[in-house]
Amino acid sequence: MGVRREIETGFEGFRLWPEALCLAEQAALAAEVRTAVATAPFYRPVTPGGKPLSVRMTNLGPLGWVTDRGGYRYQTTHPETGRPWPPIPSRLTDLWATLLGDPPPDACLVNLYDAEARMGLHQDRDETDLCAPVLSVSLGDEAVFRIGPPGRGATRVFRLRSGDVCALTGPARLARHGIDRVLGGSSALIPGGGRLNLTLRRAS
């Protein structure tokens, strides 16, 4: 997997590799994910307050992030099927190793966005080690990604296109971030349209 060069984002700790995956690599990874989630179907979770998310989600790996009226947490099984999450594809663990080194991720959140889906500003802070990096892979439709400092402060916007890879590391590990909108129809990679976002983490 030949990853293209990292670019300067101007946001310390936010690392971005545009077009890290070529079209063939994107298609192969998307196919692997579709096969994996056949046994762990997408579902629409709710927040602890009972509000449904606009994205559908599932997980890969030993641990999966879930949200429901019981709160935010990681668990070993799909909340609807009760079955263990499928393994993380080696393409993703290899990508992590190439860009971030060891130790490897033990969780991969898979979010499926349609053109109406959004993700409000939030922090990834349900992991045991909040210094371990977070790696995100974009597949399919382009998204408008917003990121800001952990506390109050101005945010910045980046366009994330299919094949782009980014990471929250160091000072940006607890950055507030989210998806303002998805540009429906900007990619033909995902059958039926939409955007897959694969978020790799060290949960335990």
Side-chain angles (χ1 to χ4, degrees), residues 7-190:
I7 66 167
E8 175 57 52
T9 66
F11 193 106
E12 188 179 3
F14 175 58
R15 304 178 64 186
L16 177 60
W17 297 267
E19 298 181 302
L21 306 180
C22 71
L23 186 56
E25 291 169 330
Q26 295 170 42
L29 179 56
E32 281 191 73
V33 171
R34 288 197 301 274
T35 297
V37 303
T39 59
F42 287 103
Y43 69 102
R44 195 175 302 279
V46 299
T47 67
K51 182 179 179 180
L53 299 187
S54 63
V55 300
R56 291 186 291 152
M57 60 176 270
T58 187
N59 287 275
L60 306 171
L63 294 170
W65 185 85
V66 300
T67 173
D68 56 24
R69 289 185 177 274
Y72 305 121
R73 63 189 182 279
Y74 284 91
Q75 64 184 47
T76 59
T77 56
H78 191 292
E80 293 187 350
T81 69
R83 299 177 63 181
W85 305 105
I88 300 173
S90 61
R91 290 177 188 273
L92 288 174
T93 54
D94 289 348
L95 182 64
W96 174 290
T98 298
L99 299 178
L100 301 174
D102 289 321
D106 57 7
C108 178
L109 175 63
V110 183
N111 282 335
L112 179 60
Y113 292 77
D114 61 24
E116 306 305 317
R118 306 286 187 273
M119 183 69 71
L121 288 175
H122 64 282
Q123 295 173 292
D124 290 353
R125 55 181 317 123
D126 298 315
E127 299 73 42
T128 300
D129 181 1
L130 295 181
C131 292
V134 174
L135 188 74
S136 176
V137 180
S138 295
L139 296 173
D141 285 342
E142 184 176 337
V144 179
F145 175 78
R146 184 174 296 276
I147 185 170
R152 299 177 63 182
T155 60
R156 294 189 58 190
V157 167
F158 295 85
R159 292 285 184 95
L160 295 181
R161 298 173 174 85
S162 191
D164 289 357
V165 175
C166 62
L168 302 178
T169 69
R173 172 58 180 81
L174 292 178
R176 294 171 295 133
H177 59 284
I179 297 295
D180 284 358
R181 65 184 184 277
V182 172
L183 306 181
S186 54
S187 169
L189 182 73
I190 308 300

